[in-house]
Amino acid sequence: MNSGSSWPGQFDLDDPLHLVECPAGPPPTGLRPVPPGRELHPDQPVRPAPGVHWADCDGELVALDLNTDRFVALGRYASTVVTAALASPAPPPAHPQARAVLDSLAARGLLVSATGPAV
């Protein structure tokens, strides 16, 4: 996916962000707090934050956040947006719903702007 044209043209807006957050291990005595995220730069592509690993699970994305010991599962719409964003070397489009998904995940510390080499 090498251009802005690789972005899905139509998103299923009936499927909102839909985050499911679970501890990664046995019931902990206390999860590490979610670190403050950063805002995404509108003119730069996005990439996973350091310590965050994304995997596809039957067409939906799941993030393992090693910084907080949590799994975060995304619904279909959010998975489509994030998959396109991570695969594209271009900045994400300014589509309001897509930006809301990406900004929400950046605020949780799961995505960052691609300002340098991947970590």
Side-chain angles (χ1 to χ4, degrees):
M1 297 187 180
N2 295 326
S3 70
S5 64
S6 64
W7 286 90
Q10 293 290 325
F11 292 112
D12 181 2
L13 299 181
D14 293 331
D15 187 15
L17 180 55
H18 185 68
L19 291 174
V20 178
E21 184 177 273
C22 302
T29 55
L31 288 173
R32 290 184 260 174
V34 175
R38 300 185 187 140
E39 290 185 16
L40 295 175
H41 192 283
D43 297 329
Q44 295 178 354
V46 299
R47 68 172 188 218
V52 176
H53 301 276
W54 292 91
D56 182 277
C57 182
D58 293 328
E60 295 183 351
L61 286 182
V62 176
L64 171 57
D65 184 356
L66 298 177
N67 302 306
T68 62
D69 292 328
R70 289 179 174 92
F71 285 103
V72 179
L74 304 182
R76 189 172 23 137
Y77 171 69
S79 294
T80 301
V81 170
V82 174
T83 298
L86 293 175
S88 176
H95 188 272
Q97 287 86 358
R99 288 304 305 191
V101 168
L102 297 174
D103 290 341
S104 173
L105 295 171
R108 296 184 56 75
L110 300 174
L111 294 175
V112 295
S113 293
T115 57
V119 179

